[in-house]
Amino acid sequence: RAVDIVSASTMTAIGYFAAGNSTGDSVFVAGTVGYVSSGTSLYAFNLSGSLNPAPVLATATIAGKGTRILSVGNYLYVATDNITKQLQIFDVSNVQTGTMTEVGSLNVGNNRGGVGVYVDVLGNYAYLATNYASPDFFVIDLASKSSPTVVGTYTTTSNMDPKGLTVISQDFRAIIVGSGT
């Protein structure tokens, strides 16, 4: 649902996007394009016209449930719960004309699903958290979108199962949240 939030006391639904007959798992908006993951489907939809419903611009298949999606520049980054393809990268430079193409992916090698991803504003590095394993936090060099590489790892405490993350770029700090600790 799209909700007008101009006045907190009188919020009103102004439209929606229907992702087939499935449940939406993650959502992100970049300009006039919305992205939603639903099961193993990834949708791009137009937010610049009618939102009853918002029209589909492009679709793609993802390796597992999309647990977090975000866009930086011409790329969309998807953390999936797939245990061998935790991060997928899509070129969305032509999404307005119906094209959303996978250009790269990464298996971090810990046999756990991805739960969160953050990408710096320049699109140089991604930070990925997976369900608990040793390691379960990864710094990924995105110099080659087709062949991203892990350049650093960290293991959270064995009492915590990561559920998400964010990065404070100016301080070079990551915050990983989860259950257990």
Side-chain angles (χ1 to χ4, degrees), residues 96-122:
Q96 294 284 357
T97 59
T99 305
M100 185 166 48
T101 307
E102 182 180 355
V103 294
S105 64
L106 182 65
N107 176 355
V108 296
N110 69 358
N111 291 319
R112 299 292 193 267
V115 296
V117 63
Y118 178 92
V119 178
D120 69 51
V121 297
L122 299 176

PDB file of all heavy atoms in Angstrom, residues 96-122:
ATOM      1  N   GLN A  96      12.939   1.289 -16.729  1.00  0.00           N
ATOM      2  CA  GLN A  96      11.769   2.004 -17.267  1.00  0.00           C
ATOM      3  C   GLN A  96      11.312   1.418 -18.601  1.00  0.00           C
ATOM      4  O   GLN A  96      10.159   1.593 -18.991  1.00  0.00           O
ATOM      5  CB  GLN A  96      12.065   3.500 -17.421  1.00  0.00           C
ATOM      6  CG  GLN A  96      12.281   4.232 -16.123  1.00  0.00           C
ATOM      7  CD  GLN A  96      10.986   4.498 -15.352  1.00  0.00           C
ATOM      8  OE1 GLN A  96       9.887   4.185 -15.787  1.00  0.00           O
ATOM      9  NE2 GLN A  96      11.135   5.090 -14.181  1.00  0.00           N
ATOM     10  N   THR A  97      12.197   0.725 -19.307  1.00  0.00           N
ATOM     11  CA  THR A  97      11.822   0.101 -20.582  1.00  0.00           C
ATOM     12  C   THR A  97      11.642  -1.409 -20.435  1.00  0.00           C
ATOM     13  O   THR A  97      11.628  -2.133 -21.426  1.00  0.00           O
ATOM     14  CB  THR A  97      12.869   0.403 -21.668  1.00  0.00           C
ATOM     15  OG1 THR A  97      14.142  -0.085 -21.245  1.00  0.00           O
ATOM     16  CG2 THR A  97      12.949   1.888 -21.955  1.00  0.00           C
ATOM     17  N   GLY A  98      11.514  -1.886 -19.201  1.00  0.00           N
ATOM     18  CA  GLY A  98      11.177  -3.281 -18.958  1.00  0.00           C
ATOM     19  C   GLY A  98      12.327  -4.236 -18.762  1.00  0.00           C
ATOM     20  O   GLY A  98      12.146  -5.445 -18.809  1.00  0.00           O
ATOM     21  N   THR A  99      13.534  -3.711 -18.516  1.00  0.00           N
ATOM     22  CA  THR A  99      14.695  -4.588 -18.376  1.00  0.00           C
ATOM     23  C   THR A  99      15.315  -4.470 -16.990  1.00  0.00           C
ATOM     24  O   THR A  99      15.635  -3.384 -16.524  1.00  0.00           O
ATOM     25  CB  THR A  99      15.769  -4.245 -19.423  1.00  0.00           C
ATOM     26  OG1 THR A  99      15.173  -4.312 -20.712  1.00  0.00           O
ATOM     27  CG2 THR A  99      16.924  -5.213 -19.350  1.00  0.00           C
ATOM     28  N   MET A 100      15.466  -5.611 -16.345  1.00  0.00           N
ATOM     29  CA  MET A 100      16.142  -5.727 -15.044  1.00  0.00           C
ATOM     30  C   MET A 100      16.949  -7.022 -15.132  1.00  0.00           C
ATOM     31  O   MET A 100      16.386  -8.105 -15.103  1.00  0.00           O
ATOM     32  CB  MET A 100      15.075  -5.779 -13.929  1.00  0.00           C
ATOM     33  CG  MET A 100      15.608  -5.769 -12.546  1.00  0.00           C
ATOM     34  SD  MET A 100      14.349  -5.413 -11.273  1.00  0.00           S
ATOM     35  CE  MET A 100      12.970  -6.475 -11.661  1.00  0.00           C
ATOM     36  N   THR A 101      18.273  -6.900 -15.263  1.00  0.00           N
ATOM     37  CA  THR A 101      19.119  -8.043 -15.590  1.00  0.00           C
ATOM     38  C   THR A 101      20.098  -8.357 -14.472  1.00  0.00           C
ATOM     39  O   THR A 101      20.826  -7.470 -14.017  1.00  0.00           O
ATOM     40  CB  THR A 101      19.915  -7.745 -16.879  1.00  0.00           C
ATOM     41  OG1 THR A 101      19.006  -7.347 -17.903  1.00  0.00           O
ATOM     42  CG2 THR A 101      20.709  -8.945 -17.332  1.00  0.00           C
ATOM     43  N   GLU A 102      20.157  -9.618 -14.073  1.00  0.00           N
ATOM     44  CA  GLU A 102      21.168 -10.018 -13.090  1.00  0.00           C
ATOM     45  C   GLU A 102      22.535  -9.937 -13.738  1.00  0.00           C
ATOM     46  O   GLU A 102      22.759 -10.483 -14.813  1.00  0.00           O
ATOM     47  CB  GLU A 102      20.924 -11.436 -12.580  1.00  0.00           C
ATOM     48  CG  GLU A 102      21.942 -11.847 -11.534  1.00  0.00           C
ATOM     49  CD  GLU A 102      21.737 -13.247 -10.989  1.00  0.00           C
ATOM     50  OE1 GLU A 102      20.747 -13.905 -11.333  1.00  0.00           O
ATOM     51  OE2 GLU A 102      22.594 -13.674 -10.192  1.00  0.00           O
ATOM     52  N   VAL A 103      23.461  -9.235 -13.061  1.00  0.00           N
ATOM     53  CA  VAL A 103      24.823  -9.099 -13.593  1.00  0.00           C
ATOM     54  C   VAL A 103      25.856  -9.791 -12.712  1.00  0.00           C
ATOM     55  O   VAL A 103      26.990  -9.994 -13.138  1.00  0.00           O
ATOM     56  CB  VAL A 103      25.219  -7.618 -13.796  1.00  0.00           C
ATOM     57  CG1 VAL A 103      24.367  -6.984 -14.881  1.00  0.00           C
ATOM     58  CG2 VAL A 103      25.137  -6.838 -12.501  1.00  0.00           C
ATOM     59  N   GLY A 104      25.484 -10.132 -11.477  1.00  0.00           N
ATOM     60  CA  GLY A 104      26.441 -10.777 -10.593  1.00  0.00           C
ATOM     61  C   GLY A 104      25.768 -11.357  -9.373  1.00  0.00           C
ATOM     62  O   GLY A 104      24.619 -11.032  -9.063  1.00  0.00           O
ATOM     63  N   SER A 105      26.495 -12.230  -8.696  1.00  0.00           N
ATOM     64  CA  SER A 105      26.003 -12.825  -7.450  1.00  0.00           C
ATOM     65  C   SER A 105      27.206 -13.277  -6.637  1.00  0.00           C
ATOM     66  O   SER A 105      28.335 -13.299  -7.128  1.00  0.00           O
ATOM     67  CB  SER A 105      25.063 -13.993  -7.728  1.00  0.00           C
ATOM     68  OG  SER A 105      25.751 -15.046  -8.371  1.00  0.00           O
ATOM     69  N   LEU A 106      26.937 -13.647  -5.390  1.00  0.00           N
ATOM     70  CA  LEU A 106      28.024 -14.056  -4.511  1.00  0.00           C
ATOM     71  C   LEU A 106      27.570 -15.159  -3.571  1.00  0.00           C
ATOM     72  O   LEU A 106      26.495 -15.073  -2.972  1.00  0.00           O
ATOM     73  CB  LEU A 106      28.518 -12.863  -3.686  1.00  0.00           C
ATOM     74  CG  LEU A 106      29.695 -13.120  -2.753  1.00  0.00           C
ATOM     75  CD1 LEU A 106      30.961 -13.477  -3.533  1.00  0.00           C
ATOM     76  CD2 LEU A 106      29.948 -11.902  -1.889  1.00  0.00           C
ATOM     77  N   ASN A 107      28.393 -16.183  -3.464  1.00  0.00           N
ATOM     78  CA  ASN A 107      28.243 -17.234  -2.462  1.00  0.00           C
ATOM     79  C   ASN A 107      29.332 -16.969  -1.433  1.00  0.00           C
ATOM     80  O   ASN A 107      30.522 -17.062  -1.749  1.00  0.00           O
ATOM     81  CB  ASN A 107      28.432 -18.608  -3.098  1.00  0.00           C
ATOM     82  CG  ASN A 107      28.383 -19.746  -2.091  1.00  0.00           C
ATOM     83  OD1 ASN A 107      28.295 -19.538  -0.882  1.00  0.00           O
ATOM     84  ND2 ASN A 107      28.435 -20.963  -2.593  1.00  0.00           N
ATOM     85  N   VAL A 108      28.946 -16.608  -0.194  1.00  0.00           N
ATOM     86  CA  VAL A 108      29.951 -16.292   0.824  1.00  0.00           C
ATOM     87  C   VAL A 108      30.526 -17.542   1.478  1.00  0.00           C
ATOM     88  O   VAL A 108      31.466 -17.446   2.265  1.00  0.00           O
ATOM     89  CB  VAL A 108      29.400 -15.314   1.894  1.00  0.00           C
ATOM     90  CG1 VAL A 108      29.056 -13.976   1.260  1.00  0.00           C
ATOM     91  CG2 VAL A 108      28.217 -15.902   2.638  1.00  0.00           C
ATOM     92  N   GLY A 109      29.971 -18.725   1.172  1.00  0.00           N
ATOM     93  CA  GLY A 109      30.573 -19.979   1.585  1.00  0.00           C
ATOM     94  C   GLY A 109      30.240 -20.478   2.975  1.00  0.00           C
ATOM     95  O   GLY A 109      30.871 -21.418   3.441  1.00  0.00           O
ATOM     96  N   ASN A 110      29.259 -19.878   3.664  1.00  0.00           N
ATOM     97  CA  ASN A 110      28.964 -20.348   5.023  1.00  0.00           C
ATOM     98  C   ASN A 110      27.667 -21.155   5.109  1.00  0.00           C
ATOM     99  O   ASN A 110      27.231 -21.514   6.200  1.00  0.00           O
ATOM    100  CB  ASN A 110      28.945 -19.187   6.021  1.00  0.00           C
ATOM    101  CG  ASN A 110      27.765 -18.245   5.831  1.00  0.00           C
ATOM    102  OD1 ASN A 110      26.956 -18.408   4.923  1.00  0.00           O
ATOM    103  ND2 ASN A 110      27.664 -17.258   6.695  1.00  0.00           N
ATOM    104  N   ASN A 111      27.040 -21.442   3.985  1.00  0.00           N
ATOM    105  CA  ASN A 111      25.808 -22.235   3.932  1.00  0.00           C
ATOM    106  C   ASN A 111      24.685 -21.676   4.796  1.00  0.00           C
ATOM    107  O   ASN A 111      23.921 -22.422   5.392  1.00  0.00           O
ATOM    108  CB  ASN A 111      26.079 -23.701   4.289  1.00  0.00           C
ATOM    109  CG  ASN A 111      26.881 -24.394   3.222  1.00  0.00           C
ATOM    110  OD1 ASN A 111      26.644 -24.192   2.034  1.00  0.00           O
ATOM    111  ND2 ASN A 111      27.855 -25.177   3.624  1.00  0.00           N
ATOM    112  N   ARG A 112      24.603 -20.353   4.871  1.00  0.00           N
ATOM    113  CA  ARG A 112      23.526 -19.672   5.588  1.00  0.00           C
ATOM    114  C   ARG A 112      22.906 -18.638   4.655  1.00  0.00           C
ATOM    115  O   ARG A 112      23.571 -18.104   3.773  1.00  0.00           O
ATOM    116  CB  ARG A 112      24.039 -18.956   6.846  1.00  0.00           C
ATOM    117  CG  ARG A 112      24.662 -19.864   7.881  1.00  0.00           C
ATOM    118  CD  ARG A 112      23.590 -20.766   8.495  1.00  0.00           C
ATOM    119  NE  ARG A 112      24.047 -21.441   9.685  1.00  0.00           N
ATOM    120  CZ  ARG A 112      24.594 -22.655   9.704  1.00  0.00           C
ATOM    121  NH1 ARG A 112      24.768 -23.305   8.587  1.00  0.00           N
ATOM    122  NH2 ARG A 112      24.956 -23.198  10.839  1.00  0.00           N
ATOM    123  N   GLY A 113      21.637 -18.345   4.863  1.00  0.00           N
ATOM    124  CA  GLY A 113      20.945 -17.372   4.041  1.00  0.00           C
ATOM    125  C   GLY A 113      21.293 -15.947   4.419  1.00  0.00           C
ATOM    126  O   GLY A 113      21.565 -15.641   5.583  1.00  0.00           O
ATOM    127  N   GLY A 114      21.265 -15.056   3.433  1.00  0.00           N
ATOM    128  CA  GLY A 114      21.484 -13.640   3.681  1.00  0.00           C
ATOM    129  C   GLY A 114      20.270 -13.028   4.368  1.00  0.00           C
ATOM    130  O   GLY A 114      19.130 -13.366   4.044  1.00  0.00           O
ATOM    131  N   VAL A 115      20.522 -12.134   5.324  1.00  0.00           N
ATOM    132  CA  VAL A 115      19.411 -11.482   6.044  1.00  0.00           C
ATOM    133  C   VAL A 115      19.403  -9.974   5.869  1.00  0.00           C
ATOM    134  O   VAL A 115      18.396  -9.334   6.133  1.00  0.00           O
ATOM    135  CB  VAL A 115      19.415 -11.831   7.547  1.00  0.00           C
ATOM    136  CG1 VAL A 115      19.168 -13.318   7.761  1.00  0.00           C
ATOM    137  CG2 VAL A 115      20.696 -11.382   8.226  1.00  0.00           C
ATOM    138  N   GLY A 116      20.508  -9.394   5.441  1.00  0.00           N
ATOM    139  CA  GLY A 116      20.560  -7.950   5.270  1.00  0.00           C
ATOM    140  C   GLY A 116      21.739  -7.542   4.432  1.00  0.00           C
ATOM    141  O   GLY A 116      22.771  -8.217   4.419  1.00  0.00           O
ATOM    142  N   VAL A 117      21.568  -6.432   3.717  1.00  0.00           N
ATOM    143  CA  VAL A 117      22.655  -5.896   2.909  1.00  0.00           C
ATOM    144  C   VAL A 117      22.604  -4.376   2.981  1.00  0.00           C
ATOM    145  O   VAL A 117      21.530  -3.780   3.079  1.00  0.00           O
ATOM    146  CB  VAL A 117      22.584  -6.384   1.437  1.00  0.00           C
ATOM    147  CG1 VAL A 117      21.329  -5.902   0.738  1.00  0.00           C
ATOM    148  CG2 VAL A 117      23.840  -6.003   0.664  1.00  0.00           C
ATOM    149  N   TYR A 118      23.775  -3.773   2.964  1.00  0.00           N
ATOM    150  CA  TYR A 118      23.935  -2.324   2.908  1.00  0.00           C
ATOM    151  C   TYR A 118      25.014  -2.060   1.867  1.00  0.00           C
ATOM    152  O   TYR A 118      26.002  -2.786   1.797  1.00  0.00           O
ATOM    153  CB  TYR A 118      24.368  -1.769   4.275  1.00  0.00           C
ATOM    154  CG  TYR A 118      24.594  -0.280   4.270  1.00  0.00           C
ATOM    155  CD1 TYR A 118      23.567   0.591   4.594  1.00  0.00           C
ATOM    156  CD2 TYR A 118      25.829   0.256   3.924  1.00  0.00           C
ATOM    157  CE1 TYR A 118      23.765   1.963   4.582  1.00  0.00           C
ATOM    158  CE2 TYR A 118      26.036   1.630   3.904  1.00  0.00           C
ATOM    159  CZ  TYR A 118      25.001   2.474   4.234  1.00  0.00           C
ATOM    160  OH  TYR A 118      25.190   3.839   4.214  1.00  0.00           O
ATOM    161  N   VAL A 119      24.838  -1.019   1.048  1.00  0.00           N
ATOM    162  CA  VAL A 119      25.829  -0.656   0.041  1.00  0.00           C
ATOM    163  C   VAL A 119      26.170   0.812   0.234  1.00  0.00           C
ATOM    164  O   VAL A 119      25.275   1.645   0.413  1.00  0.00           O
ATOM    165  CB  VAL A 119      25.299  -0.912  -1.386  1.00  0.00           C
ATOM    166  CG1 VAL A 119      26.313  -0.479  -2.433  1.00  0.00           C
ATOM    167  CG2 VAL A 119      24.952  -2.388  -1.568  1.00  0.00           C
ATOM    168  N   ASP A 120      27.474   1.143   0.214  1.00  0.00           N
ATOM    169  CA  ASP A 120      27.865   2.544   0.382  1.00  0.00           C
ATOM    170  C   ASP A 120      27.329   3.388  -0.778  1.00  0.00           C
ATOM    171  O   ASP A 120      26.985   2.861  -1.837  1.00  0.00           O
ATOM    172  CB  ASP A 120      29.383   2.688   0.549  1.00  0.00           C
ATOM    173  CG  ASP A 120      30.175   2.372  -0.706  1.00  0.00           C
ATOM    174  OD1 ASP A 120      29.863   2.930  -1.779  1.00  0.00           O
ATOM    175  OD2 ASP A 120      31.114   1.577  -0.625  1.00  0.00           O
ATOM    176  N   VAL A 121      27.250   4.692  -0.576  1.00  0.00           N
ATOM    177  CA  VAL A 121      26.606   5.582  -1.545  1.00  0.00           C
ATOM    178  C   VAL A 121      27.289   5.603  -2.911  1.00  0.00           C
ATOM    179  O   VAL A 121      26.663   5.947  -3.910  1.00  0.00           O
ATOM    180  CB  VAL A 121      26.479   7.031  -1.007  1.00  0.00           C
ATOM    181  CG1 VAL A 121      25.588   7.077   0.204  1.00  0.00           C
ATOM    182  CG2 VAL A 121      27.831   7.632  -0.715  1.00  0.00           C
ATOM    183  N   LEU A 122      28.556   5.239  -2.986  1.00  0.00           N
ATOM    184  CA  LEU A 122      29.259   5.195  -4.263  1.00  0.00           C
ATOM    185  C   LEU A 122      29.139   3.835  -4.950  1.00  0.00           C
ATOM    186  O   LEU A 122      29.556   3.672  -6.093  1.00  0.00           O
ATOM    187  CB  LEU A 122      30.739   5.544  -4.066  1.00  0.00           C
ATOM    188  CG  LEU A 122      31.012   6.941  -3.511  1.00  0.00           C
ATOM    189  CD1 LEU A 122      32.498   7.135  -3.256  1.00  0.00           C
ATOM    190  CD2 LEU A 122      30.469   8.011  -4.450  1.00  0.00           C
TER     191      LEU A 122
END
